[in-house]
Amino acid sequence: MFKNFNYSKLDNTINLSISLNLEDKLDICFGDLHQRIKDDLGDEVFKAIENIVEIECDINRVTKYGATQYSFYYDDCANYEYRNYSLDELKNSYEIVLNEKDKNDIKDFVQDTKNDYIENSRNDYILKSCNLSIDEIICNTFTRDKYHIDNEDDDEFHSRVESYIAMLIADKYYRYFWQENLENYLNEILDNYSNDELKDIIEYIIYEEEQ
């Protein structure tokens, strides 16, 4: 990432971190940022997220998306990366990671989804799931791998709820890479380095890239 870096900055007495662009900061701080995320979340929550989400996101994707468009890849939740988790792992992460606001958001999502299915029902057929309470639908989302759902639309309903829950869990990790947050976190990390330490890190990264 430092191929266009101005080497004269290394000999400048001003605060070196001010002269770095976002990608330079990300290259320097990527490993530290993951440690910051782990420290902020705590071991139990981090592990619960790690069971659902591919934690080591691709540094080359963070600030670039598409050939011509410049944006932040993980601002779009469609780009979140997930592990092949089990529903038991999802339920465990739901209980550990999400707060009451998140869980109320899920209930609102389930109610809205339920209303959509009722309004768009075909031939007056109402899904069995729509006769269940919100809490029953959420519970069945976590246990549906243990019994057969004989209606494809019922299974799709629960899949939509599952995807929404997984997305809220993933938000807790990927929010650190959203445009509105990323540079602030990187600047906080850089504040812990002296100019001399930054110079050493940059020189090492440049050396590694040239090999």
Side-chain angles (χ1 to χ4, degrees):
M1 285 188 181
F2 285 88
K3 61 183 178 180
N4 296 318
F5 186 77
N6 182 351
Y7 281 80
S8 66
K9 294 176 183 177
L10 294 177
D11 298 319
N12 204 317
T13 57
I14 65 169
N15 189 330
L16 181 57
S17 64
I18 295 175
S19 64
L20 299 172
N21 63 37
L22 178 60
E23 290 186 341
D24 290 342
K25 293 176 182 180
L26 186 62
D27 206 16
I28 293 169
C29 301
F30 194 60
D32 288 335
L33 179 57
H34 276 92
Q35 186 60 49
R36 164 69 184 269
I37 296 170
K38 190 171 183 178
D39 291 344
D40 283 356
L41 296 173
D43 289 341
E44 183 183 29
V45 172
F46 187 83
K47 178 61 178 174
I49 294 172
E50 192 175 27
N51 288 336
I52 308 302
V53 178
E54 288 291 352
I55 290 296
E56 293 294 335
C57 71
D58 187 343
I59 188 173
N60 296 313
R61 289 181 175 177
V62 172
T63 58
K64 289 188 182 299
Y65 178 56
T68 57
Q69 181 184 3
Y70 184 88
S71 64
F72 286 67
Y73 188 73
Y74 297 110
D75 275 4
D76 184 351
C77 64
N79 293 325
Y80 290 176
E81 299 160 48
Y82 299 93
R83 293 181 180 274
N84 185 25
Y85 58 81
S86 69
L87 292 179
D88 284 340
E89 287 174 321
L90 184 69
K91 183 176 186 294
N92 183 63
S93 296
Y94 164 87
E95 293 173 345
I96 292 174
V97 175
L98 301 183
N99 57 37
E100 286 307 309
K101 180 185 180 303
D102 298 324
K103 292 176 181 177
N104 286 332
D105 286 345
I106 292 168
K107 290 180 179 180
D108 290 341
F109 175 83
V110 172
Q111 184 63 64
D112 290 342
T113 304
K114 184 176 177 179
N115 293 342
D116 286 344
Y117 274 100
I118 292 173
E119 291 171 8
N120 297 308
S121 60
R122 299 186 297 273
N123 300 322
D124 297 324
Y125 172 77
I126 302 297
L127 292 182
K128 293 179 182 178
S129 298
C130 292
N131 294 319
L132 300 175
S133 70
I134 301 300
D135 287 338
E136 286 173 324
I137 292 170
I138 294 172
C139 180
N140 285 356
T141 297
F142 296 128
T143 59
R144 73 186 192 282
D145 59 337
K146 297 177 174 61
Y147 60 89
H148 176 67
I149 297 180
D150 57 6
N151 185 284
E152 187 175 290
D153 288 337
D154 271 304
D155 190 48
E156 180 193 30
F157 186 177
H158 287 92
S159 292
R160 289 175 65 181
V161 176
E162 175 192 335
S163 295
Y164 188 75
I165 293 170
M167 181 202 70
L168 289 183
I169 292 169
D171 273 350
K172 304 296 185 183
Y173 169 73
Y174 285 113
R175 65 183 298 275
Y176 286 83
F177 300 94
W178 294 347
Q179 182 174 5
E180 65 188 85
N181 297 328
L182 178 61
E183 192 154 22
N184 287 335
Y185 285 122
L186 297 179
N187 286 339
E188 288 176 9
I189 293 169
L190 285 170
D191 284 343
N192 294 319
Y193 288 109
S194 68
N195 258 18
D196 287 340
E197 288 171 327
L198 275 181
K199 289 176 184 178
D200 289 342
I201 292 170
I202 292 169
E203 288 174 338
Y204 177 76
I205 292 173
I206 292 172
Y207 171 79
E208 287 292 303
E209 289 179 347
E210 291 175 345
Q211 298 308 302

